[in-house]
Amino acid sequence: MRISLCQGLLTGAIILNLLILYYVSRAQQQMMEKRKELGRGSRRAARPASLLGGALGVIGAEHAGMAAEGHGRGPRVSVLLREFESFENYVGDVANSFLRQRPELPFLAVADTFPYPPLVLPEGARLLVLSPSPDQPPQAHRPEFHLQTEFVLLVPDGVELEQPRVFERLIKELEGEGGGPVRLVAVPVLTRSAVQCLHLRVNLKEWTATYSPAASGSSGSVCTALQGDAVVLIRTEDLFNLSVPLGRPLFPALFVQTTLRGWKVKLLESPCFSANHRPLFSSAHNQWKADTRLKEATGKLMRSFGLKRLLLPEGKEQWFGCTKETPRCFGTVQDDTPDYLYLDRWTPPCCLRALRETTKYVINILESSGVRYWLEGGSLLGAVRHQDIIPWDYDVDLGIYLEDVPNCDHLKNLDSGSLVDANGYVWERAVEGDFYRVQYSEANHLHVDLWPFYSRNGIMTKDTWTEHKQDVEFPEHFLQPLVPMPFAGITAYGPNNQRAFLELKFGEGVIENPQYPNPMKKRLDRSKL
C-alpha cells in the first residue's frame, strides 16, 4: 500500500509530538528530583510554589537558589519575627543583621494586619499578614505555607546576629534531646531584661495558670516557660501542631500550649544574642503605647484560652474574668447544669471570688441586723467538704428565720422593686417565688439566695418550694443551737448536726460522694478530683 504525502506528514507530526512529550516529561522528572535533593533533611515536605501565590513563589525560588549555590541543599532554619509594634520597630535592622551573615535563611516578619507605616525590609525578607484578604487565596495568610524548613527560630524585635554558627549549635542541642519532653531550646538576649526559667501549671478545669520560679541545672535550665527576652528554636512541625502557633503575646501563647502537651524548654547560658536598641522604644509615650497594647493582647489571649486568673511568680494575680462592672461568665442555668460543666470545667475563679465577697457582705448585714441564718443545701455541703463554696457551684444559699426579716432594713421593704445599696449590691424579692436574692451588682447577677423559713409544730417550713430534692422541711432542733463553721474565708453559722441535716436533704453518704447537681445531664468523673 502506497502512503500519500499527507499521510506521511501526519505520521511525522505525530512522532515529533511524542518525542517532545517524552523530553518534556523527562525534564520535569529531573526538576522534581533536584527539588527533592535540595529539600532533603527537612521534615516538612515543600509545597509547590504555584499553590502559594506570587509572593510565596518568590520566597521559595530565591531561597532555594541561594541554598543550591551555598550549601547544596535547602536551609534547615527559618527566622521568624512576630513581636513588634508598627509605630516603632527595628524589623528591617533585625533582618539585615541575619541576612548579611546567613543570606540563605528565609526571614519572615509576621503581623496581624498590614503595618503602618509600612515596613522597609531588605531583599530576602518577607512580610506575612495573618488577616485574610478577600482578593487572595487562604494560603497567602497561613504561616504554615510560608515555612518549609525543619526548624523555626523565633526572635524578638531589636535582636542582632553576631555568631553565624549559632543555628547549628541550637539545632544540635534540640536534636540531642532525642524527641523527648524538651521540644524547644532558647538562648538569652544580652543587654535586655534577664531571662528567667519558670514552672508553669495550667489548670483548665479551674481556668487558672500558675507561674513559679524553676530550678536551674548545670548544663542549662529545663522548665516549662520563660520570662524575659530570649530567642527560641522549635521544630516547624511542633509549632504548627499548636492550635494557635503565632498568638500574641508570643511567649504566653506558646508556653500555655506547650505546657498542656507536656513539652519543656531548655534555656542555655550561651551562645547569646545581642540587642543594640535598649530600651526598645525611644520615648515614654511609645513605651506606654506598647505596654497598653500588651495588656490588651494578653487579656484577649487569655480569654480565648479560657484562662481567667494568672498567678505570677512574684505572687501577684491577674484577672481576666467577670467583675462588678461586667456580666457574669455564664448565662442562664438550664437543668441545674451551668454551661461550663459541659466543657469539663468548674466555676470560673472570678465568679467564686464574687460569690465569696457577696456572701461575706450579706452575712455581715444579717448578723448586724439580728437576723438568724444558716448555710443551706449545697452551700452547707461545700462548707463541710471544702470549708468553701463547692468548686462547681454557681450560687450560695442561706436559710433565714422569716420572723427576723423586719429587723433588716435591706429586706423589710422589698415587697416590690429592688434596692441597690451604697456598695452596689442589689437586694430584691426573687421573681421565682417567696424568697430574697442579693446580686453582686446590677451588671453581674451572681447571687446569694435567702430562703425564709418559719417553725410549725417544731418543723421548719416555708411558703415557696422548688423542684430540688433537697428543698424539704426539717426539724427545728437542727437550728437549736446554730454552730459556727468556716466557709469561704469567714466564720458562718450552720445546723448543729451537719451530717444528719445533709443526709436528710440529699441522701445517705452525700458528703463522701460528690456529684454534679443533675447527674442525668452531666456526671462528675470522680477519678479526676
Side-chain angles (χ1 to χ4, degrees):
M1 182 178 72
R2 297 184 62 185
I3 299 176
S4 66
L5 178 61
C6 291
Q7 290 174 328
L9 291 173
L10 180 61
T11 302
I14 293 172
I15 294 173
L16 180 61
N17 284 331
L18 290 173
L19 289 172
I20 291 172
L21 289 173
Y22 170 74
Y23 284 110
V24 168
S25 176
R26 284 288 304 275
Q28 289 178 337
Q29 184 177 0
Q30 290 174 357
M31 289 177 63
M32 291 178 64
E33 291 176 352
K34 185 176 181 180
R35 287 181 181 178
K36 289 180 179 179
E37 181 179 353
L38 291 175
R40 192 168 298 154
S42 173
R43 287 191 174 188
R44 295 175 58 84
R47 296 169 175 81
S50 60
L51 294 178
L52 308 181
L56 289 179
V58 172
I59 293 174
E62 286 183 356
H63 292 302
M66 293 176 183
E69 293 173 7
H71 301 284
R73 68 174 186 174
R76 300 186 70 188
V77 182
S78 294
V79 181
L80 190 148
L81 200 166
R82 176 67 171 114
E83 292 284 2
F84 64 91
E85 298 295 348
S86 58
F87 53 83
E88 183 177 7
N89 63 73
Y90 303 95
V91 177
D93 293 346
V94 176
N96 272 316
S97 171
F98 280 81
L99 294 177
R100 267 198 306 266
Q101 301 198 51
R102 299 296 294 266
E104 80 282 2
L105 297 178
F107 188 101
L108 197 64
V110 180
D112 293 313
T113 58
F114 190 82
Y116 178 79
L119 295 179
V120 179
L121 297 175
E123 183 178 356
R126 293 292 180 269
L127 169 68
L128 168 64
V129 176
L130 297 178
S131 299
S133 177
D135 62 336
Q136 294 192 15
Q139 298 94 323
H141 305 279
R142 291 170 55 182
E144 64 267 29
F145 284 91
H146 293 247
L147 296 170
Q148 302 177 20
T149 55
E150 185 178 356
F151 300 94
V152 178
L153 190 74
L154 305 172
V155 300
D157 192 13
V159 74
E160 289 190 337
L161 176 64
E162 292 184 341
Q163 304 177 37
R165 305 302 297 177
V166 65
F167 300 96
E168 287 73 18
R169 165 73 190 282
L170 294 179
I171 290 174
K172 183 178 179 181
E173 285 285 348
L174 190 53
E175 290 183 327
E177 296 295 332
V182 173
R183 307 292 278 269
L184 308 94
V185 171
V187 291
V189 176
L190 296 180
T191 68
R192 286 273 182 84
S193 58
V195 182
Q196 184 181 9
C197 225
L198 301 175
H199 175 65
L200 172 60
R201 184 176 65 87
V202 180
N203 189 332
L204 292 180
K205 186 179 287 293
E206 297 181 6
W207 312 74
T208 300
T210 303
Y211 293 89
S212 57
S216 299
S218 57
S219 60
S221 303
V222 174
C223 49
T224 52
L226 299 176
Q227 184 179 56
D229 285 320
V231 171
V232 174
L233 183 75
I234 184 174
R235 288 184 174 86
T236 308
E237 181 180 10
D238 284 344
L239 180 64
F240 291 113
N241 273 332
L242 303 177
S243 56
V244 186
L246 296 177
R248 288 195 71 190
L250 183 60
F251 274 9
L254 186 67
F255 292 124
V256 165
Q257 297 174 89
T258 56
T259 295
L260 288 169
R261 289 159 175 79
W263 300 356
K264 296 183 182 297
V265 55
K266 185 175 185 179
L267 177 62
L268 306 177
E269 296 180 0
S270 64
C272 300
F273 287 80
S274 63
N276 285 335
H277 305 288
R278 53 185 194 273
L280 185 60
F281 299 101
S282 59
S283 69
H285 178 68
N286 279 358
Q287 183 66 60
W288 171 82
K289 286 173 65 176
D291 292 342
T292 301
R293 288 167 62 93
L294 175 63
K295 183 177 179 181
E296 292 172 351
T298 301
K300 182 178 179 181
L301 176 75
M302 293 305 157
R303 283 187 285 270
S304 70
F305 281 175
L307 292 173
K308 311 253 182 209
R309 183 189 184 203
L310 297 187
L311 298 176
L312 304 179
E314 61 271 22
K316 296 182 179 179
E317 292 180 311
Q318 290 183 354
W319 293 85
F320 303 100
C322 61
T323 67
K324 219 173 179 68
E325 290 74 37
T326 68
R328 69 184 186 186
C329 293
F330 56 95
T332 302
V333 177
Q334 304 286 338
D335 300 317
D336 302 323
T337 308
D339 56 12
Y340 50 80
L341 291 185
Y342 293 107
L343 302 174
D344 288 323
R345 296 193 175 202
W346 290 348
T347 309
C350 49
C351 298
L352 292 173
R353 179 180 64 169
L355 285 173
R356 293 185 189 107
E357 290 178 9
T358 307
T359 301
K360 180 179 180 180
Y361 183 77
V362 170
I363 284 178
N364 181 61
I365 289 178
L366 295 178
E367 290 181 349
S368 62
S369 301
V371 177
R372 291 167 290 175
Y373 74 90
W374 61 94
L375 295 169
E376 258 289 348
S379 299
L380 177 64
L381 191 55
V384 173
R385 283 197 197 134
H386 314 282
Q387 294 78 55
D388 201 351
I389 300 166
I390 292 176
W392 51 84
D393 208 352
Y394 51 89
D395 64 7
V396 170
D397 292 310
L398 300 177
I400 61 174
Y401 271 89
L402 177 62
E403 62 191 82
D404 293 344
V405 168
N407 299 339
C408 179
D409 291 338
H410 292 77
L411 295 176
K412 66 182 181 182
N413 297 318
L414 288 181
D415 289 336
S416 62
S418 61
L419 166 69
V420 182
D421 68 19
N423 294 291
Y425 294 91
V426 181
W427 298 70
E428 63 184 6
R429 185 178 289 274
V431 296
E432 297 93 333
D434 189 21
F435 63 98
Y436 302 99
R437 177 164 288 164
V438 186
Q439 295 178 356
Y440 187 46
S441 70
E442 291 183 275
N444 192 327
H445 293 175
L446 289 160
H447 57 265
V448 173
D449 284 335
L450 306 176
W451 300 92
F453 283 82
Y454 55 91
S455 178
R456 185 170 60 192
N457 300 322
I459 300 297
M460 296 301 292
T461 188
K462 56 189 177 77
D463 295 330
T464 294
W465 300 95
T466 68
E467 296 179 356
H468 301 127
K469 66 178 182 178
Q470 70 269 22
D471 194 18
V472 296
E473 298 177 330
F474 59 90
E476 189 178 10
H477 66 72
F478 283 110
L479 310 179
Q480 296 175 342
L482 293 166
V483 297
M485 58 189 308
F487 179 68
I490 62 174
T491 298
Y493 282 95
N496 53 62
N497 188 339
Q498 293 144 18
R499 174 175 291 277
F501 185 87
L502 288 169
E503 292 190 344
L504 171 67
K505 295 265 185 174
F506 294 97
E508 188 176 352
V510 63
I511 296 175
E512 294 79 15
N513 298 291
Q515 189 50 262
Y516 287 151
N518 190 343
M520 297 295 292
K521 294 294 181 179
K522 179 68 176 178
R523 294 191 63 84
L524 172 65
D525 185 353
R526 297 176 189 171
S527 65
K528 296 181 180 180
L529 288 176

